[in-house]
Amino acid sequence: MKTVIENLHRLTYLNDGQKQSLEVKAQAHLRYSNISFTVMKVTDTELIIQTAQLKHLSENYADMEKLVKVTESVFSPMLYGRKLKVGAKPYVPAPADIVTFDWIKKEMAQQQLKAVELETALGIDKSTLSLLISGKRDMTRAMKSMFYYFFEYNKLVS
């Protein structure tokens, strides 16, 4: 049986109904915030859970403190005398995720670059660059990365 909580089978002290209750709570966090739980270790005195958040369309990201609280809300009713320890891994966006059409324009202005200089440096033809800068063409993740690292490198060498 596929479970939402990785290694849920390690919680041998819980019955199937209790495990199902945990699964329902975990499924909601996965669906609405892309937060997942992994049972790392279970002893008579402690329960160690790793909680991680990945990229989500809602962009509703939790910090470490919030991830710990979410984990406590899911697992605290099922501890039965065990101490809960949480390893929280918040979502860390890729640097290129900040790249937007406005960001490119701002960087061009700050670095005093013209479109023709970007064409030459990046090997992008004039019409494609114009469409990208104006927002008429969506950028792929690779394109965003290219722009991000170009502007970051340009800051270092100038």
Side-chain angles (χ1 to χ4, degrees):
M1 172 175 94
K2 177 78 171 130
T3 62
V4 176
I5 301 171
E6 195 172 334
N7 298 328
L8 181 64
H9 67 277
R10 291 182 177 173
L11 302 179
T12 56
Y13 64 91
L14 297 179
N15 64 39
D16 289 343
Q18 292 168 319
K19 289 177 184 176
Q20 183 60 35
S21 176
L22 286 175
E23 285 280 286
V24 168
K25 292 176 185 178
Q27 181 65 46
H29 289 292
L30 185 63
R31 180 180 300 122
Y32 297 113
S33 299
N34 206 11
I35 295 173
S36 63
F37 306 96
T38 303
V39 177
M40 301 302 289
K41 184 177 179 182
V42 182
T43 69
D44 291 339
T45 59
E46 69 181 4
L47 172 59
I48 301 174
I49 303 292
Q50 179 178 318
T51 305
Q53 186 172 30
L54 297 176
K55 186 173 177 83
H56 194 265
L57 292 175
S58 72
E59 295 187 357
N60 180 23
Y61 297 119
D63 58 15
M64 290 181 73
E65 184 179 323
K66 175 71 173 170
L67 288 176
V68 169
K69 287 180 181 178
V70 166
T71 307
E72 289 170 346
S73 74
V74 172
F75 288 92
S76 287
M78 304 293 181
L79 292 176
Y80 298 103
R82 290 168 180 80
K83 179 178 170 96
L84 179 63
K85 294 184 179 178
V86 180
K89 293 171 64 177
Y91 172 69
V92 178
D97 286 349
I98 67 168
V99 176
T100 63
F101 312 112
D102 291 333
W103 183 89
I104 292 172
K105 289 178 188 175
K106 181 183 80 123
E107 287 295 320
M108 287 176 67
Q110 284 179 349
Q111 297 183 27
Q112 299 176 345
L113 293 171
K114 298 195 182 322
V116 70
E117 294 169 300
L118 284 181
E119 291 171 32
T120 304
L122 299 175
I124 299 175
D125 64 84
K126 184 178 182 176
S127 60
T128 301
L129 185 61
S130 176
L131 291 171
L132 290 171
I133 293 174
S134 68
K136 293 179 182 174
R137 179 176 288 174
D138 288 335
M139 288 183 278
T140 64
R141 190 167 182 93
M143 287 177 168
K144 288 181 177 188
S145 294
M146 175 187 64
F147 280 109
Y148 177 82
Y149 288 108
F150 169 78
F151 285 116
E152 289 300 305
Y153 175 77
N154 207 41
K155 286 177 193 174
L156 293 173
V157 296
S158 50

